[in-house]
Every structure is written in C-alpha cells, then in structure tokens.
C-alpha cells in the first residue's frame, strides 16, 4: 500500500525557512511524480510543486523561494521553503501525482504557519 507521511511543519516568522519532509512507504518514490499541495483556511487546495528525479515545476507564487529535493536512501522527498510569507500559511500535503484530480495517494498534511 502506498503511504506518504509529511513532517516538518511549524510556526515561523515571515522571512524564515522550513523544510518539509514526505516519507514514502510501500513503494519507491523514484519513478513517480510527487506533488506538493497546500490548503489555506477557507480556500481550495492548490498545487505548489511537482517533483521527479529529472525535473521540478513550481507554482508562480513559490518559484524562487521553494525547492524540492529527495533522498533515495530513505525514500523521502523534501520541500525547502525560504523567504516565507504570511500568505504561505496552510496545511501542506504531498501526494503521488501532480494533478489533484488524479492523485493516487495523499499524505495527511503538516501545518505551516507564518507570522507577520
């Protein structure tokens, strides 16, 4: 069974950084597109980044500030978030797939709160 578990969220001041982890189990992430999404209170879930070993795409709102990476040895994908803004506050999810209507598996999410 494919499973993803996010961690690394927390409270940070504007301008700060966080690194989210997405630990995969039941499958090797290599060979799959892994999506990062977020959902802010009262808003719909939005796509943030799409990672695979050859390329990563980012939403315009995070491009240049967020970077996805991975560690094959521990089957984990990361999202490093720099220059955080209050509008980045959301629950962040990783998923197998980058199209929210075609995701195979979602993680449970991790809360990121950016204070002004």
């Amino acid at each position: 069974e494919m499973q993803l578990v996010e961690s690394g969220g927390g409270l940070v001041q504007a301008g700060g950084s966080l690194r989210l982890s997405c630990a995969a189990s039941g499958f090797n992430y290599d060979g799959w597109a892994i999506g990062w999404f977020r959902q802010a209170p009262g808003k719909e879930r939005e796509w943030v980044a799409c990672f695979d070993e050859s390329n990563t795409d980012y939403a315009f709102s995070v491009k240049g500030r967020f970077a996805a990476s991975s560690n094959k040895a521990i089957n984990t994908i990361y999202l490093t978030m720099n220059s955080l803004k209050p509008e980045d506050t959301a629950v962040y999810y990783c998923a197998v797939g980058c199209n929210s209507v075609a995701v195979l598996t979602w993680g449970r999410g991790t809360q990121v709160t950016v204070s002004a």
Side-chain angles (χ1 to χ4, degrees):
E1 179 186 2
M2 287 180 163
Q3 290 190 341
L4 299 170
V5 178
E6 302 93 337
S7 61
L11 173 64
V12 64
Q13 288 188 330
S17 299
L18 282 174
R19 189 179 76 163
L20 306 183
S21 299
C22 172
S25 62
F27 74 109
N28 290 320
Y29 78 82
D30 192 12
W32 295 88
I34 302 297
W36 285 97
F37 298 81
R38 66 186 181 186
Q39 187 165 20
K43 295 188 177 181
E44 292 190 355
R45 190 173 298 187
E46 66 170 340
W47 170 75
V48 174
C50 182
F51 170 86
D52 65 32
E53 287 295 326
S54 61
N55 185 53
T56 304
D57 292 319
Y58 300 94
F60 179 79
S61 59
V62 307
K63 200 166 188 176
R65 300 188 296 123
F66 290 13
S69 59
S70 66
N71 185 332
K72 287 184 183 180
I74 58 172
N75 210 23
T76 297
I77 307 94
Y78 302 100
L79 185 68
T80 301
M81 307 184 296
N82 298 314
S83 302
L84 282 162
K85 306 175 182 179
E87 52 263 42
D88 294 319
T89 295
V91 178
Y92 283 72
Y93 301 88
C94 60
V96 180
C98 294
N99 184 332
S100 61
V101 299
V103 161
L104 297 179
T105 299
W106 290 97
R108 291 187 176 182
T110 185
Q111 175 71 47
V112 171
T113 302
V114 184
S115 62

